[in-house]
Amino acid sequence: MSTRQRTKLVHEGAFAAKVEVDLIEDENGWAPYLSVADAEKLDKVRDALRRGDIQSAAQLARVFSLTPIAV
């Protein structure tokens, strides 16, 4: 079993967050997969962004404000 670090993007409303997680490589048919802790981390960031709690989301990930542009 080995792990590799990846960046997952979470998008909610006018915000996006880059969350660092470890993908677990295994010999079973479900690989690669996230640990329970990393899955909960993604959920916490998503929930914080939904509530507008940028401070909490920023403790777990890099948070960005999305601005629409006129073309």
Side-chain angles (χ1 to χ4, degrees):
M1 180 168 60
S2 65
T3 62
R4 57 189 162 121
Q5 193 170 41
R6 288 288 185 248
T7 302
K8 294 287 187 178
L9 294 175
V10 176
H11 173 250
E12 282 295 330
F15 298 100
K18 289 173 68 173
V19 184
E20 297 296 327
V21 296
D22 290 325
L23 289 179
I24 301 170
E25 297 283 344
D26 205 346
E27 295 299 321
N28 66 30
W30 294 99
Y33 56 91
L34 295 171
S35 68
V36 173
D38 282 338
E40 288 175 347
K41 183 178 178 183
L42 286 169
D43 287 341
K44 286 178 185 178
V45 170
R46 184 176 294 110
D47 289 341
L49 292 177
R50 280 184 186 155
R51 291 190 316 268
D53 187 3
I54 307 308
Q55 188 88 9
S56 294
Q59 292 176 355
L60 299 170
R62 291 187 62 200
V63 179
F64 299 90
S65 175
L66 301 176
T67 305
I69 58 172
V71 178

